[in-house]
Amino acid sequence: MAEQICYLYRSHGKKPVLVKRDIPGFLANRIQHALMREALSLAQEGIASPDDIDTAVRYSFGFRYAAVGPMTQKEISGWEGMTLAAEVIYPSLSNIQSPPACVMDLVNSGKTDMAKGAGFREWSPEEAAHMKQAYETRLQAAFEVLKIAPELN
C-alpha cells in the first residue's frame, strides 16, 4: 500500500520517501536534528559561533546536498575516506539528550526567533524582513536548479 501511495505522488511530480517502519519524528526531521544537535553543541562549547557554523554548512557540504543527498555524495567521494574520518570524529560527536543550555537560555528569556527580535543575535524588523526575503529567494533559486537538473533514476 505504501509503495502505491509513493507511486501516486511520484506520478504527480512529488518526491515521496518510503519509511519502512515507525520511528519518532519524520525521516528528514531526524537527520536535521542530528545536524542541529552537533551544531548547537559546538556553539555551546564555544568552538564556533552560530554565524561560523552557518557559513561552514552553507559553503561546504550543505551546498553539495542541493545536488545529491548525503548517501549519494559519499558514493561519489568514497566511503573509505568517510570511514577514516569517522574513526577520528565519531567519538567526539555530541550525544546530548536534550537541548543545550545556550538554547534553553534563549527560550527561557523569550529570545526564540526573528519575530521576537532575537535568538542567538538581535534582529531589527528590517533585518528580519531582509533575511526572510533572502532566504525565500535562495530557496526558490535552489528549487529552480533542481527542476532543471536531470534525475538519473
Side-chain angles (χ1 to χ4, degrees), residues 110-121 123 132:
K111 296 179 178 183
T112 57
D113 54 47
M114 288 179 177
K116 299 276 174 75
F120 277 103
R121 61 165 283 201
W123 294 93
K132 287 178 183 179

Side-chain angles (χ1 to χ4, degrees), residues 40-140:
L40 290 172
S41 291
L42 292 168
Q44 174 69 35
E45 297 298 319
I47 294 168
S49 71
D51 285 340
D52 285 339
I53 292 166
D54 279 354
T55 299
V57 171
R58 287 187 63 214
Y59 293 99
S60 63
F61 72 90
F63 190 70
R64 296 178 203 133
Y65 292 161
V68 295
M71 305 300 281
T72 303
Q73 196 281 322
K74 285 304 168 212
E75 292 284 319
I76 293 168
S77 67
W79 291 102
E80 187 175 38
M82 194 281 314
T83 59
L84 293 172
E87 289 174 359
V88 174
I89 297 169
Y90 280 17
S92 67
L93 287 176
S94 175
N95 196 22
I96 59 175
Q97 300 294 306
S98 60
C102 63
V103 174
M104 295 311 301
D105 291 346
L106 291 174
V107 171
N108 291 334
S109 65
K111 296 179 178 183
T112 57
D113 54 47
M114 288 179 177
K116 299 276 174 75
F120 277 103
R121 61 165 283 201
E122 303 290 319
W123 294 93
S124 71
E126 297 78 22
E127 289 174 315
H130 177 74
M131 180 54 72
K132 287 178 183 179
Q133 182 58 52
Y135 175 69
E136 292 297 325
T137 300
R138 292 171 186 161
L139 279 180
Q140 188 60 43

